[in-house]
Amino acid sequence: MEVLDKMLGLRPEDRRKVWLMGSVFFLAGVAELLNYTSFMALFNGRFGTQYLPVMYIVEAFLLPLEGWALAWVSQRMSKPRFMTLMYASFIALCFANGALLFGMRATGAEWLAFYPFLFITSNFVVRQQTLLMWSTAFDLCPTQQAKRVMPVFVSMAILGGVAAGVLSRVLAPSLGAEAVYFLGPVVLALGFVNFRKSLKRYLVPLTIKEADADETAEAAPSAFSYVRDTLRSPFLLTAIGIMTLMPALYFLMEYQYFTSAQAVFADEHELTSFYGLMVILLFCAAFLLQLVSSKLMDKLGASNMLIAISAIFLLGFAIVVAFVDSSLALPAVSIGYSLMYLLLYYFAEPSHQLFFKMLPLHKRDGIRFMAQSIAASAGILIGSGLSMLHSEGGVGMFGQAAIGAGLSVALLGMSWAARGLYVKELVRSLEVGVAFARDALTELLGSLSAGRLARSLTEHLRHPNEAVREVAIELLRHDPDPSRTEELLRCAETSSPRVRVVALKAVHPSGWLSLSPDRRLQFLRDSDAEVRAVAFRTLLTTNAPAGEKRDWVRMARGDASPAVLAEALLATIEVGAAAETDERAAADLRRMLDEGGESAVSAMSVIGECRLREFFYDVLMRLGDPRPSVKTAAVRTLGKLGGEEAARELIEAMIGADTETRAAVADALANIGDAAVPVLAKALQSPHWNVWQTAVSVLSRGRGDKEVRQLLVPSCVERLAELREVRRYGAMIAELGREEWASLAAMRTDEIRSVALDAVWSVMVRFGDERAVPQIRKAIEDPEEEVRDNGMEILSEGLGDARLSAALLAFYRYDQTMRFAAEPGESSAAPPVVTDAWLQAIAVKAKAEEGEAAFMSRWEYLSALDKMVFLKQVPLFENISLEELGRVAGIANEKTYEDGEFLVKQGEPSVSLTVIVEGHVELSGRDAAGKEGTVGVFGPKQSFGEGALFDDRPSLVSAQALFEPVRVLEIEGGEMSKLVRLYPDIGVGLLRAAGHRIRTLEQLVLKLG
């Protein structure tokens, strides 16, 4: 199975969706082609091919009404219900038509007026069924997943078409076209169960709270504004022209195909059989083409693809012109028809979507639907008019084909013009914003090879807006070209250091070698260390003579920046032929590690990049470094060095780690790969919830479905059961009535609940849908009871893994019970058992459990709790988690100042944030004239000294104990700054405190005024 996934480019989470929806696409493909081949044979044989243009004209006028009616219905019911109704209506309509056909056949009646109705309704089913299938696939799949699974769905639909061709060819001669038609809705009905199951599993969760989305949606622009915007845009007008001409030419070729076939096969059964043979050949070709379609699209790009399609349209008509009046007319027309059918429906339609990528999101769908409706109606009218030149105007087949060839030339020219306009739109989008440009990156790179876009981007290197220059540089980096060296370097010289770095990275290596020594030296001696590092890195990877490289290495070794020295060491180690690290390089690396800080970070980047295992224990020692940047670098380096020992040490580093370190450890463990699996499997038994969550996260990302089911599902089920015990434990503490401890217990319980459920739901995503599963969770945890019930109902269906779904459902039901009332028999149940150290320490403090002495092995938790109870009441820290409170308590030093003693004096350095526990502190100071004033008197739970966290200037005020001893908690500014970086909520609290202080000073100024 994994081999098949690799061949198809699928991920494990795609497999279930492919199995479920793939069958629907296959059966829909069978039904669509059975319907199409049989109704066309019936209409052409019994009513007449000459009336095809008239029917297309009628359809052209009905299409806008059809679109309006479907839009009206879709707005009055949910999307899943509307899609189900559409699918069921296709089955019912074809069943009704089939019953009438069999009725006429049984009675011998021939109701000619029925055949136009059959044509209109059957064409409606074919058209809307195709749209329904593709829209369902896109609605059920996130964008990136859609790119992976759509080729499989297309292939299944193509195989269905082949099967339909075989059935038509076998059944038509013996049973007749009526039986082939009736078989279509029967086959379509077979897919109804899986279609509904797909909607229920993947689409319904996304529509649980559609009303909320509707409330926040912007008001839709008017239809007039869509028309106005389209008429003002040469790009969109050209796009509509292409979207009109392509189907018009297809309908013209289709008329020639049906007319030629009718002339050769007078018998209805033979005609149906021939259509079946053509379907087989057509869809076999489509299947083979599908195997290379994605590579072809990637190579040409969407805009170039349209030019290629237009050229093949011209080739098809050229073949027909050459042979239409000969005995080879039918084969020639069949080839032209097959080419146009394949290209229009499997390549041109997806490529058309690029026209709308340039539009603002809130206008995109409106203009798209308007443009497509105009193009469809106009295309049918033009195609019908061209067809009537033969049926009504007396123009021969050759003349009609020649007109088609002429229009194909016009289509080719229009596609070429559209490509140029498209490139201009992409370049113009750079000025709209960086985010939009990144969204269009795939299309940009698809057109980059043509040169025009590259030239336009090069011109934008001189744009006055630096953000535009930066995006242009990033895009040019994907197509390095030595000829752009001068433009990039000129851009670098006139930009900020950040953009200068990006520009230097975009320079082609051979471009660096073409520079004069003085020009290179300009960047090698730049004032910014990162610029110098990039310049050295690029030069040292070029094919420059060895002597020059040695000179650059010596120059880099003498640079004061650790980042530049690291580049020199990297070049020295990578070039060295011996297996052992160069002794001097090794000495430099150890010296940099000992220096710590930025030097240690740079050294570890070299060690990790070169996989220098001999430095394993040197790096390991840096895990205990108090500086977050060094610790994080050590974690990443251990991940690159790999091995089971590294995985064990990283798991140990998780215990008590901050958020940044935990995230780095998770990535490092994922980099280690298979060697980390035994360690991670053992970590699933860890009593530390964050360690367990990291193990689950890494294993769920990197292992197959079988391993996930064996390792993670049982562990998640056990943790959900333990989570119920955690809830009971928190309730036990709350029953004691000690509010301060109950509050901390509730905080910790909620934190554990969040950690555990995040991990469990991440596993659920592996067996469900990456969009639907989060929506189901959101619904189950919604405050509205009706929304919760809907989410629970979906979960009860066995979403994803049945065991995990059942365990989750049981937990949420228990959780809801605990919110409102104690569970029956809860008070008499056995005492809950938990392994979380914080909850155990809180229970001891709250006297919910005996034996503080027996718990002294967790003394660090007990000693921090009293501070945490107090800090929780300080406005500065009221909104942070228990874990964050624990970190603040760990760096808070308790001090006592006697009455009249100064905590800080004006003019002296203020290096700490101070929180008053007991007593009062007066803040006062003198101005430049020597006049003394009081800022205010601060009491318990108030803080001062926040400015010490942001600058090193002397204190502007004095702080003095007033009337009595003062007990405070002091937090050193450097330590607090680290916490602010790791935990943004603490920073928000500081901003709130600073804002309050500013308002106090403003009021004081107003009073003095």
Side-chain angles (χ1 to χ4, degrees):
M1 188 63 70
E2 291 182 3
V3 175
L4 184 61
D5 286 348
K6 189 173 182 179
M7 288 175 57
L8 297 175
L10 299 177
R11 295 180 183 176
E13 62 266 27
D14 304 332
R15 193 181 304 151
R16 288 167 294 278
K17 197 170 287 186
V18 166
W19 280 113
L20 192 61
M21 280 299 295
S23 62
V24 178
F25 269 86
F26 175 78
L27 294 171
V30 175
E32 179 183 335
L33 269 296
L34 288 174
N35 183 356
Y36 181 75
T37 54
S38 55
F39 91 74
M40 288 303 290
L42 288 165
F43 180 86
N44 292 339
R46 300 182 186 182
F47 200 74
T49 311
Q50 67 273 20
Y51 293 107
L52 273 178
V54 178
M55 296 308 302
Y56 286 138
I57 290 173
V58 172
E59 273 200 324
F61 286 104
L62 289 176
L63 273 174
L65 294 175
E66 176 187 305
W68 175 84
L70 291 176
W72 186 86
V73 174
S74 67
Q75 290 171 3
R76 281 155 179 78
M77 60 179 65
S78 67
K79 191 174 184 70
R81 184 173 295 179
F82 173 72
M83 297 173 85
T84 304
L85 175 65
M86 290 289 289
Y87 196 104
S89 67
F90 299 155
I91 298 171
L93 200 54
C94 290
F95 266 131
N97 285 341
L100 283 172
L101 286 171
F102 273 119
M104 287 192 292
R105 179 174 172 178
T107 59
E110 191 66 29
W111 183 28
L112 289 178
F114 169 70
Y115 293 104
F117 176 81
L118 175 70
F119 183 96
I120 295 293
T121 54
S122 298
N123 233 359
F124 164 79
V125 170
V126 169
R127 181 170 57 250
Q128 292 300 331
Q129 180 184 314
T130 302
L131 293 175
L132 178 66
M133 287 296 103
W134 298 132
S135 65
T136 301
F138 279 107
D139 286 339
L140 266 56
C141 302
T143 303
Q144 295 305 315
Q145 187 182 52
K147 290 179 181 179
R148 298 192 300 270
V149 302
M150 284 306 292
V152 180
F153 291 157
V154 171
S155 299
M156 295 302 293
I158 290 172
L159 290 175
V162 175
V166 173
L167 288 171
S168 298
R169 186 158 179 79
V170 171
L171 297 178
S174 56
L175 300 179
E178 296 92 346
V180 175
Y181 185 91
F182 195 81
L183 185 60
V186 173
V187 173
L188 192 60
L190 294 177
F192 186 68
V193 173
N194 274 0
F195 182 76
R196 286 199 68 219
K197 190 180 293 184
S198 300
L199 296 183
K200 188 172 184 180
R201 184 172 295 180
Y202 302 117
L203 186 59
V204 171
L206 303 180
T207 59
I208 291 175
K209 294 199 75 175
E210 281 183 331
D212 290 349
D214 292 341
E215 289 174 6
T216 58
E218 293 184 16
S222 66
F224 174 76
S225 68
Y226 293 145
V227 175
R228 182 192 60 210
D229 292 345
T230 302
L231 293 176
R232 290 178 177 176
S233 170
F235 173 63
L236 289 176
L237 289 174
T238 307
I240 293 176
I242 293 172
M243 294 168 64
T244 300
L245 266 184
M246 278 191 175
L249 291 171
Y250 166 75
F251 284 124
L252 175 58
M253 183 64 77
E254 184 185 54
Y255 175 83
Q256 293 234 329
Y257 166 69
F258 285 134
T259 302
S260 300
Q262 186 76 24
V264 175
F265 300 102
D267 181 74
E268 180 183 287
H269 292 171
E270 290 181 355
L271 184 62
T272 307
S273 179
F274 170 74
Y275 288 162
L277 175 63
M278 282 300 300
V279 166
I280 294 173
L281 296 175
L282 186 64
F283 280 85
C284 284
F287 183 75
L288 294 174
L289 199 57
Q290 184 63 31
L291 297 178
V292 298
S293 63
S294 59
K295 293 181 180 178
L296 198 59
M297 287 285 282
D298 288 340
K299 184 174 181 62
L300 293 178
S303 59
N304 292 323
M305 195 72 185
L306 284 175
I307 295 176
I309 292 169
S310 302
I312 297 175
F313 267 46
L314 177 58
L315 175 65
F317 272 105
I319 293 172
V320 174
V321 168
F323 297 102
V324 71
D325 287 335
S326 70
S327 58
L328 298 175
L330 183 58
V333 173
S334 298
I335 291 171
Y337 169 74
S338 300
L339 286 173
M340 288 193 179
Y341 182 92
L342 290 174
L343 294 173
L344 181 65
Y345 290 109
Y346 291 100
F347 289 93
E349 287 294 338
S351 296
H352 287 162
Q353 301 308 313
L354 69 90
F355 294 135
F356 309 103
K357 288 282 189 181
M358 305 300 102
L359 301 173
L361 190 61
H362 67 285
K363 291 185 177 181
R364 191 175 300 169
D365 283 340
I367 292 180
R368 178 194 287 124
F369 291 137
M370 185 207 67
Q372 288 176 338
S373 64
I374 292 173
S377 296
I380 291 174
L381 285 172
I382 294 172
S384 302
L386 294 172
S387 301
M388 292 178 73
L389 291 175
H390 175 266
S391 63
E392 305 294 336
V395 177
M397 295 284 281
F398 174 85
Q400 193 182 42
I403 293 172
L407 288 174
S408 296
V409 173
L411 175 64
L412 183 60
M414 198 175 292
S415 297
W416 187 269
R419 179 186 171 282
L421 292 170
Y422 171 62
V423 168
K424 287 183 179 179
E425 289 291 314
L426 284 174
V427 174
R428 185 187 61 79
S429 70
L430 294 179
E431 301 176 17
V432 175
V434 175
F436 180 85
R438 293 186 193 281
D439 290 339
L441 183 60
T442 303
E443 287 82 5
L444 277 163
L445 298 180
S447 304
L448 202 58
S449 58
R452 181 178 297 182
L453 178 60
R455 288 193 296 274
S456 298
L457 289 173
T458 302
E459 291 173 4
H460 275 69
L461 295 178
R462 297 188 292 273
H463 196 280
N465 187 325
E466 188 168 88
V468 173
R469 295 202 301 273
E470 184 175 3
V471 174
I473 294 167
E474 288 183 352
L475 296 174
L476 288 171
R477 284 180 62 190
H478 293 271
D479 184 35
D481 188 339
S483 65
R484 292 195 286 268
T485 299
E486 188 59 37
E487 288 287 345
L488 287 166
L489 292 180
R490 192 178 298 121
C491 176
E493 290 168 346
T494 59
S495 300
S496 66
R498 188 188 75 253
V499 178
R500 201 150 64 241
V501 167
V502 179
L504 294 183
K505 288 179 179 178
V507 175
H508 193 279
S510 63
W512 279 99
L513 296 180
S514 66
L515 297 178
S516 65
D518 289 341
R519 193 77 184 281
R520 291 181 208 151
L521 205 58
Q522 174 187 341
F523 294 104
L524 295 178
R525 290 178 175 173
D526 193 275
S527 59
D528 187 83
E530 191 176 359
V531 172
R532 297 199 303 275
V534 171
F536 275 111
R537 182 186 314 151
T538 310
L539 281 170
L540 290 169
T541 55
T542 61
N543 294 324
E548 283 193 70
K549 283 191 174 183
R550 283 194 294 272
D551 291 340
W552 294 332
V553 168
R554 280 195 295 270
M555 186 177 177
R557 281 182 178 274
D559 196 289
S561 168
V564 176
L565 176 56
E567 297 300 334
L569 295 175
L570 192 61
T572 302
I573 294 166
E574 288 181 343
V575 173
E580 296 293 327
T581 305
D582 175 76
E583 290 185 10
R584 185 181 172 192
D588 283 337
L589 286 172
R590 287 201 163 86
R591 175 180 58 77
M592 292 171 71
L593 287 170
D594 291 340
E595 287 176 0
E598 185 185 351
S599 295
V601 172
S602 296
M604 285 187 281
S605 71
V606 176
I607 292 167
E609 193 71 27
C610 298
R611 306 293 194 273
L612 303 178
R613 292 284 305 176
E614 60 265 37
F615 288 92
F616 179 86
Y617 292 104
D618 298 271
V619 174
L620 190 61
M621 294 294 291
R622 271 68 195 173
L623 281 180
D625 196 289
R627 286 160 291 198
S629 60
V630 177
K631 183 186 295 186
T632 302
V635 168
R636 290 172 180 158
T637 304
L638 288 173
K640 291 178 180 178
L641 295 178
E644 191 170 330
E645 185 178 3
R648 281 196 299 270
E649 296 295 342
L650 289 171
I651 289 292
E652 288 296 321
M654 279 283 299
I655 300 172
D658 55 59
T659 306
E660 185 179 18
T661 303
R662 287 203 300 267
V665 167
D667 291 337
L669 289 168
N671 286 336
I672 292 174
D674 292 343
V677 173
V679 178
L680 290 168
K682 187 176 180 181
L684 292 175
Q685 307 302 320
S686 172
H688 300 279
W689 287 89
N690 284 323
V691 173
W692 175 79
Q693 181 197 32
T694 299
V696 170
S697 172
V698 176
L699 288 171
S700 66
R701 276 189 284 165
R703 315 314 298 173
D705 281 2
K706 185 176 180 181
E707 280 186 277
V708 170
R709 290 186 189 278
Q710 290 176 345
L711 285 174
L712 299 188
V713 171
S715 179
C716 288
V717 171
E718 290 175 7
R719 289 287 172 156
L720 286 170
E722 186 177 345
L723 197 54
R724 295 176 64 168
E725 292 295 287
V726 168
R727 295 284 289 178
R728 288 182 59 211
Y729 203 81
M732 179 186 73
I733 295 173
E735 287 175 1
L736 298 176
R738 302 281 299 276
E739 180 60 33
E740 67 277 19
W741 302 115
S743 175
L744 287 182
M747 284 180 62
R748 185 57 183 165
T749 300
D750 288 343
E751 289 169 18
I752 293 173
R753 181 182 184 276
S754 177
V755 166
L757 291 177
D758 284 348
V760 173
W761 281 106
S762 72
V763 176
M764 286 290 288
V765 170
R766 282 295 306 269
F767 302 106
D769 179 74
E770 61 187 275
R771 290 189 308 169
V773 170
Q775 289 296 323
I776 294 170
R777 179 183 181 181
K778 185 179 178 182
I780 291 174
E781 296 176 356
D782 195 272
E784 296 179 21
E785 184 176 0
E786 185 175 353
V787 177
R788 287 201 307 272
D789 290 344
N790 290 335
M792 299 276 269
E793 177 64 26
I794 297 172
L795 191 60
S796 68
E797 294 289 328
L799 176 77
D801 184 87
R803 282 184 301 166
L804 196 51
S805 293
L808 259 178
L809 189 64
F811 169 76
Y812 276 112
R813 285 174 174 164
Y814 173 84
D815 197 46
Q816 289 184 13
T817 302
M818 289 289 288
R819 285 185 186 180
F820 303 108
E823 196 173 72
E826 191 78 9
S827 58
S828 59
V833 178
V834 298
T835 58
D836 182 69
W838 280 118
L839 276 178
Q840 290 176 343
I842 293 169
V844 169
K845 284 287 189 179
K847 307 301 182 184
E849 285 196 10
E850 298 295 331
E852 186 167 338
F855 195 70
M856 285 308 291
S857 61
R858 303 294 177 94
W859 64 269
E860 69 273 16
Y861 295 96
L862 289 171
S863 62
L865 280 172
D866 290 315
K867 294 179 185 177
M868 291 165 62
V869 169
F870 171 74
L871 288 170
K872 182 62 181 170
Q873 303 171 60
V874 176
L876 186 61
F877 305 112
E878 62 184 359
N879 293 321
I880 66 175
S881 69
L882 185 76
E883 181 178 310
E884 293 163 357
L885 272 178
R887 294 197 171 278
V888 175
I891 62 173
N893 299 312
E894 187 174 344
K895 288 188 178 181
T896 301
Y897 293 88
E898 297 300 324
D899 179 21
E901 188 177 354
F902 282 95
L903 286 72
V904 65
K905 291 184 178 181
Q906 185 177 4
E908 293 181 352
S910 175
V911 295
S912 299
L913 169 71
T914 304
V915 182
I916 302 171
V917 180
E918 291 178 354
H920 293 81
V921 174
E922 180 185 35
L923 297 186
S924 61
R926 294 178 183 273
D927 61 16
K931 185 178 179 181
E932 187 173 356
T934 299
V935 176
V937 176
F938 287 59
K941 303 175 187 176
Q942 290 185 299
S943 61
F944 60 90
E946 291 88 351
L949 306 179
F950 305 107
D951 60 53
D952 299 324
R953 291 184 300 176
S955 176
L956 296 176
V957 296
S958 296
Q960 186 178 23
L962 188 65
F963 301 133
E964 58 186 331
V966 175
R967 189 157 62 98
V968 299
L969 293 176
E970 290 185 353
I971 305 172
E972 194 271 323
E975 293 295 325
M976 194 66 186
S977 296
K978 293 177 187 176
L979 290 182
V980 170
R981 184 170 60 83
L982 294 172
Y983 302 104
D985 283 342
I986 296 177
V988 172
L990 286 171
L991 289 174
R992 190 183 299 113
H996 176 72
R997 192 69 37 77
I998 290 170
R999 285 194 298 273
T1000 302
L1001 291 174
E1002 287 174 343
Q1003 292 171 0
L1004 181 61
V1005 170
L1006 288 173
K1007 288 179 181 178
L1008 291 174

